Amino acid sequence: MKALVKTGKAPGLELKDVAVPGIGPNDVLIKVKATSICGSDIHIFKSTPGYMRGVPIPTIIGHETCGEVIEVGEYVTSLKKGDIVSPESLIFCGECYYCKMGLAHHCQNRKILGVSIDGTLAEYARVPAICCWKHPKDISADLGAIYEPIGVAVHGVLADEVNGKSVAVFGCGPIGLFAIGAAKAFGAAQVFALEVAPPRIALARQLFPDITVINPREQDAAKTIMDATDGLGVDVSLEISGSAEALRQALKVLKSEGRLSMVGVPAGPIELDTHPDIIRKGVRVFGVIGHVVWKTLWQVRTLLETGKFDPARVITHRFPLAEFEEAFKLAVSGEAGKIVLYP
Amino acid sequence: MKALVKTGKAPGLELKDVAVPGIGPNDVLIKVKATSICGSDIHIFKSTPGYMRGVPIPTIIGHETCGEVIEVGEYVTSLKKGDIVSPESLIFCGECYYCKMGLAHHCQNRKILGVSIDGTLAEYARVPAICCWKHPKDISADLGAIYEPIGVAVHGVLADEVNGKSVAVFGCGPIGLFAIGAAKAFGAAQVFALEVAPPRIALARQLFPDITVINPREQDAAKTIMDATDGLGVDVSLEISGSAEALRQALKVLKSEGRLSMVGVPAGPIELDTHPDIIRKGVRVFGVIGHVVWKTLWQVRTLLETGKFDPARVITHRFPLAEFEEAFKLAVSGEAGKIVLYP
Amino acid sequence: MKALVKTGKAPGLELKDVAVPGIGPNDVLIKVKATSICGSDIHIFKSTPGYMRGVPIPTIIGHETCGEVIEVGEYVTSLKKGDIVSPESLIFCGECYYCKMGLAHHCQNRKILGVSIDGTLAEYARVPAICCWKHPKDISADLGAIYEPIGVAVHGVLADEVNGKSVAVFGCGPIGLFAIGAAKAFGAAQVFALEVAPPRIALARQLFPDITVINPREQDAAKTIMDATDGLGVDVSLEISGSAEALRQALKVLKSEGRLSMVGVPAGPIELDTHPDIIRKGVRVFGVIGHVVWKTLWQVRTLLETGKFDPARVITHRFPLAEFEEAFKLAVSGEAGKIVLYP
Amino acid sequence: MKALVKTGKAPGLELKDVAVPGIGPNDVLIKVKATSICGSDIHIFKSTPGYMRGVPIPTIIGHETCGEVIEVGEYVTSLKKGDIVSPESLIFCGECYYCKMGLAHHCQNRKILGVSIDGTLAEYARVPAICCWKHPKDISADLGAIYEPIGVAVHGVLADEVNGKSVAVFGCGPIGLFAIGAAKAFGAAQVFALEVAPPRIALARQLFPDITVINPREQDAAKTIMDATDGLGVDVSLEISGSAEALRQALKVLKSEGRLSMVGVPAGPIELDTHPDIIRKGVRVFGVIGHVVWKTLWQVRTLLETGKFDPARVITHRFPLAEFEEAFKLAVSGEAGKIVLYP
């Protein structure tokens, strides 16, 4: 089969012919219908130093996927041939302390699909059956592919309540846009979005004409937010960009006793002025990773059913897998919305 | 001044000339601009047995009010002449255990405006300054008058999170309609409303064309709700009618681990099948009374600022105070929305 | 093998020779070391009407068990021969909505061990591997047998926080005693216990000399509790007896905004005065059933590790399985602590 | 009267004769019985740069106080002569957004007693009546003086539940020792304490012989904690030292989804590795300042009533106010417990 493989430590990826993976008794084999590009895929493409440690060579990358089950391991009872699924990207064991405590996203034997084990930017992929979310048959391949990243956004948004809250979203990449859509649909009273890349600012404004989109390079973001919130700041900050500066601003514009969800992965350690920004304001900072299995994906399903937000509109580009070079170049530019590849 | 007074234990009220109340050093005197009719006003009008115990004779009734401060007690620093305010109806002392714990609605010295002390269906009313919510100058008298009952609805809705939840509201009187509007604006994913009075059903459908309004006398409400929620039931039930039957149904249609807010005041003890309906489903039942001072009224302010719901549309009738007989007759019928009286 | 079987609708049980159960690929066979008697076992023994509906004839009863795994189904990877386990009594499927949401105790395909399917008052028992809690090898059979009911108590106690709270426990049967021990170990500041059976009162006083044990038939329980809590009532009521009167009292002595956990199963519908007891006080009522899988049993493990409470002291009687008649007669009397049977 | 005054920007304090403060209509005048030394007093004594900005010259310092009300402003109804009180150190207005939301410790007009306004290391002090906590008459002056810092510790401990949790406390100064005592009394299952100063280590071991006290300069603290927690880490970290290194370690030893309360004030910005330590572990970080008015001080009262912990044992030294030089020298050394001064 064709697969997009990280074949060495240098930047770049190769589209190669590899064997279709065999499956174990608890696995399913899925025929990939669509896979979208995640930030971690971009890091592996670029060979970002911190990221490559966890990537064996060779590894098939990719994990935001929609596929059809075409083979079922002998012990599997929860899925059958023809089911349409999206895999969790954090592959959990189901038996460790965290899995038993309902916290499978912190599995002690956690593997990351397309990072520490072979992923889904390929024609076929092997996934443990317990790590699959089953869709209705008629879901579009595109929507199925972006279920996983929508889930990351929703997990960040609903890490605590947003009903009637003012919310500031830092970063308008795909996850940020999903987060804005989710915050609005889940009852945020006021939404601010911060972004520096003009095409993403334009996309945010087009998708959400009724929110305040701020370019902090051109406008005093803190002042804008404070002026619009009685000088109090927002109830909730969602840091999604991974930028140190954004994180510090996310704390600055937060109301006392407010909540910050940290979703974006920073490039390294960050200096924080914890006394004025966290302690004196009594704020609550929540780290957010992956999904709460399966609560988060059920919330994604609910979000879609509300009809208040169509996340497929965040997809701006589509390519056949063979044109991955162009797709990744675009992704690296930081100016696109979500990009989907079809094997 | 003119005031609507309960002058005896028999049904009915009298519009009388009484002295304008004098104020103490911690009070303000307000000139009433509008007062709406609450369920407890109706009970006092009807001399419902359980209610009359707490009503001294004579008492000026009424407490859902918007007024202008025209006199200020000598120790008062928080208000000044010309301020537009709504009083809390649960008059709290500010010094008891509950007041000191941030739970003033459970004040140990609690008095009820227009029930245990003179109220606001009059030209003027005395209120402790600490029990007044201050509005912006340009608020309409109508909206100011219904702030208090909107608050009761919002307290019930936000007793726990509603973001992304399915919600069933039992009763489409004014509080029920406010609750529906609040639940929707605060991000409920799905809303069901149950009501038996045809005019209220019509009003609910007109105000909220996108929710499911059910007449449980004509339709199998439980089946309708179960069918629309994957057979699971709703995440949240809001019991607002005070009907025993509604309360039992509110528990029946609730999902396991769901939340019921009890807002409506029943006529007496109620028989509940606690094993199947509460214990075995692990549900959470929250009693709801009054407002969390002042968190709830701030949430009302936020609700109005969203522009997603105009609660003034729940007001269906307006009368001068002198026509109180007609207003109360209408209120007793259980077929109107909110009714506002002007002194 | 020998097994205690409900062989007809009439009261009583029979000790019979039956076949050792065969196991499926996801099951284990356990050799029972000890099984304690639960309230539902007593109901089946007595053929209490409401309970018999869910019990097929014949059924092996019993589910509070410690056993050794002696055979392992072919798909099972989480357990091996020689493991010491206690089964969950609520047998869950692992694949339904609730199981996927981390709420397996509400499994839509839930079976009850020893009630709706064959149980553990026998020499051997079949249990799905995913429903087994694995103990350290050196756990005593007695402690293993009472893990399940300790868990029910702990679930009730920790349904919300007890740290620094005043707690009233209604009923000093085994679950009540476990709850008292857990509440104290988990930081309750003040504990009251209510019980009417003199031997249980004596046991409670002996196990917990520093709490206030009240016989509500001889003493004004509400007055005692109010006097000891500044007239406010307790922060937390735990209703464990299933008595309607106890439930009403549990609400009466609860502070405004307090929490009631309902654990005890009542005989039928109960009349509650919801306005004064729930609504006006803004209390929170939590239904409690079974365990949060596996969070609750981990909390039990933690409780035991603190060394602050030895739940084995709640066991007052031990019998060989053959003497079940005497054991059940004692259990029915309502005067014993926990009773353990050995096959 | 005698008062300890910061008279200039240079290090040091002066004991001066100053006028007894006059009071306003909402104030009380208290005759100080005892005042203990707080970390902020030490910073003002040393003229720590960051701290001096908020201190006008001259200012009477001190705020951890027990005193007797000897004069009452004309509008004050909540206190009378002879009442024994402790003032809140965060002086709040009672009328701003945060005060109205039950978050007076974030008052927008907040003043800090003994920092931004004259404090209590003096014979007399003026305090707004609404900022006083009233003690029972028979409280010891020492215990009254340390109520405020016990409250800071309790606020940190109970920022979320500790019942049955494993807890690591970073820093065994007075607040750290109070926190250990509170965590134990409120049901922590396991407590670790980290400290580098040998006299404080000795004090911690003496006060709490059953916890694990670790000197991270002599012992691998992370390994010790991990080994004792099944390799998982603690449920709760309480950072009380203000040390950057301690903060980073507090995150490292925290279990996934664990909770860190940040109580200690750091000297400046701190570099944190937020990806592995906060995001990937999904931890929750809570800033903690002052008290939740008055919930926290009620919790302090409850803590004392349990009799499980005698915080007066944390007081290691007592001096007359005139010997303040010796007291502050000792305080600066970082080797004492709590130090109390008597005017």
Side-chain angles (χ1 to χ4, degrees), chain B residues 28-47:
Chain B
V28 294
L29 185 71
I30 64 172
K31 182 175 188 337
V32 174
K33 297 160 73 94
T35 297
S36 56
I37 298 179
C38 169
S40 62
D41 299 323
I42 300 173
H43 282 296
I44 296 174
F45 173 78
K46 294 196 296 181
S47 291

Side-chain angles (χ1 to χ4, degrees), chain D residues 89-261:
Chain D
S89 54
L90 301 178
I91 300 297
F92 51 91
C93 72
E95 296 185 2
C96 71
Y97 168 79
Y98 287 114
C99 284
K100 292 206 164 216
M101 294 296 273
L103 300 167
H105 56 314
H106 296 294
C107 173
Q108 292 170 295
N109 305 306
R110 183 165 74 182
K111 288 167 192 144
I112 309 180
L113 199 62
V115 177
S116 65
I117 58 169
D118 280 338
T120 64
L121 274 165
E123 289 178 80
Y124 302 93
R126 170 187 48 214
V127 188
I130 58 166
C131 298
C132 288
W133 172 262
K134 189 174 155 185
H135 294 292
K137 285 275 155 118
D138 59 352
I139 195 169
S140 77
D142 282 4
L143 199 51
I146 59 176
Y147 233 74
E148 200 270 351
I150 299 171
V152 173
V154 165
H155 186 191
V157 170
L158 291 186
D160 196 4
E161 43 183 305
V162 291
N163 28 220
K165 305 289 184 184
S166 50
V167 177
V169 178
F170 292 79
C172 293
I175 307 273
L177 295 171
F178 294 144
I180 296 168
K184 280 170 50 65
F186 291 150
Q190 234 181 338
V191 179
F192 305 90
L194 290 87
E195 173 60 62
V196 296
R200 288 184 162 173
I201 292 173
L203 185 54
R205 290 197 171 129
Q206 178 197 328
L207 288 175
F208 309 108
D210 56 348
I211 70 165
T212 305
V213 182
I214 303 169
N215 182 342
R217 298 215 174 127
E218 296 182 350
Q219 200 179 344
D220 184 338
K223 186 177 182 316
T224 304
I225 292 173
M226 288 298 171
D227 286 353
T229 55
D230 298 282
L232 295 166
V234 289
D235 297 306
V236 180
S237 279
L238 303 173
E239 206 308 291
I240 296 182
S241 70
S243 145
E245 206 174 330
L247 178 60
R248 286 188 288 261
Q249 187 133 56
L251 286 165
K252 287 284 178 220
V253 302
L254 200 54
K255 189 186 278 189
S256 292
E257 301 287 323
R259 184 248 307 186
L260 164 67
S261 277

Side-chain angles (χ1 to χ4, degrees), chain B residues 60-290:
Chain B
I60 301 169
I61 73 159
H63 58 263
E64 299 179 0
T65 291
C66 182
E68 180 181 340
V69 174
I70 58 163
E71 203 185 320
V72 175
E74 65 171 307
Y75 301 170
V76 173
T77 56
S78 57
L79 291 174
K80 57 181 192 307
K81 279 186 200 178
D83 283 345
I84 306 300
V85 299
S86 287
E88 272 295 323
S89 53
L90 300 178
I91 300 296
F92 51 92
C93 73
E95 297 185 2
C96 71
Y97 169 78
Y98 287 114
C99 285
K100 292 206 165 216
M101 294 295 275
L103 300 168
H105 56 315
H106 296 294
C107 173
Q108 292 171 296
N109 306 305
R110 183 165 73 183
K111 288 167 191 143
I112 309 180
L113 200 62
V115 176
S116 64
I117 58 171
D118 279 338
T120 64
L121 274 165
E123 289 178 82
Y124 301 93
R126 169 186 50 213
V127 188
I130 58 166
C131 297
C132 288
W133 172 263
K134 189 174 155 185
H135 294 291
K137 285 275 156 117
D138 60 353
I139 194 168
S140 77
D142 282 3
L143 200 51
I146 59 176
Y147 234 73
E148 200 270 351
I150 300 171
V152 172
V154 165
H155 185 192
V157 170
L158 292 186
D160 197 4
E161 44 184 306
V162 291
N163 29 221
K165 305 290 183 182
S166 50
V167 177
V169 178
F170 291 78
C172 294
I175 307 273
L177 295 170
F178 294 144
I180 295 167
K184 278 172 49 65
F186 292 150
Q190 232 181 339
V191 178
F192 304 91
L194 289 87
E195 173 60 62
V196 296
R200 288 185 163 173
I201 291 174
L203 185 55
R205 289 196 172 129
Q206 177 197 329
L207 288 175
F208 309 107
D210 56 348
I211 70 165
T212 305
V213 182
I214 303 168
N215 182 342
R217 297 214 176 127
E218 297 181 350
Q219 200 179 344
D220 183 338
K223 186 176 181 316
T224 305
I225 291 174
M226 289 297 171
D227 286 353
T229 55
D230 298 281
L232 294 166
V234 289
D235 297 305
V236 180
S237 278
L238 303 173
E239 205 307 292
I240 296 182
S241 70
S243 145
E245 206 174 332
L247 178 60
R248 285 189 288 260
Q249 186 133 55
L251 286 165
K252 287 283 179 220
V253 302
L254 199 55
K255 188 187 277 190
S256 291
E257 301 285 323
R259 183 248 306 186
L260 163 67
S261 277
M262 292 179 68
V263 178
V265 173
I270 291 179
E271 199 179 73
L272 295 176
D273 205 359
T274 60
H275 185 203
D277 290 347
I278 296 179
I279 298 170
R280 204 154 63 201
K281 295 207 297 187
V283 304
R284 295 166 298 130
V285 177
F286 292 180
V288 172
I289 186 164

Side-chain angles (χ1 to χ4, degrees), chain C residues 60-133:
Chain C
I60 301 170
I61 74 158
H63 58 263
E64 299 179 359
T65 291
C66 183
E68 181 181 341
V69 174
I70 58 165
E71 203 184 321
V72 175
E74 67 171 307
Y75 300 170
V76 174
T77 57
S78 57
L79 291 174
K80 58 181 192 306
K81 280 187 201 178
D83 284 344
I84 307 299
V85 299
S86 287
E88 271 296 321
S89 53
L90 300 178
I91 300 297
F92 51 92
C93 73
E95 296 185 2
C96 70
Y97 168 79
Y98 286 115
C99 285
K100 293 205 164 217
M101 294 294 274
L103 301 167
H105 56 313
H106 296 293
C107 172
Q108 293 170 295
N109 305 305
R110 183 165 73 182
K111 288 167 192 146
I112 308 179
L113 199 62
V115 177
S116 65
I117 58 170
D118 280 339
T120 65
L121 275 165
E123 288 179 80
Y124 302 94
R126 169 187 50 212
V127 188
I130 58 164
C131 297
C132 288
W133 172 262

